[in-house]
């Protein structure tokens, strides 16, 4: 059951990151920072909550 929650969290993080990148496509630096934050959230979830 824990794996399902992890996959749902990762899927939501990817979707949110994609939508934010799409909105901020005019600023490459913002996009890179937001991707890094999304990846960091996924890693933190995996290491501490997974």
């Amino acid at each position: 059951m824990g794996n399902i929650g992890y996959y749902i969290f990762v899927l939501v993080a990817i979707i949110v990151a994609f939508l934010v990148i799409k909105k901020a496509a005019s600023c490459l630096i913002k996009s890179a920072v937001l991707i890094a934050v999304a990846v960091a959230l996924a890693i933190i979830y995996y290491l501490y909550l997974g």
Side-chain angles (χ1 to χ4, degrees):
M1 195 68 170
N3 287 340
I4 294 172
Y6 170 71
Y7 291 124
I8 290 172
F9 177 80
V10 170
L11 183 62
V12 169
I14 290 171
I15 291 171
V16 169
F18 176 76
L19 291 175
V20 170
I21 290 168
K22 190 174 176 184
K23 282 192 170 203
S26 62
C27 183
L28 187 59
I29 295 172
K30 276 187 183 179
S31 299
V33 169
L34 291 170
I35 290 172
V37 168
V39 170
L41 286 173
I43 290 170
I44 290 169
Y45 178 81
Y46 178 75
L47 292 177
Y48 295 107
L49 302 174

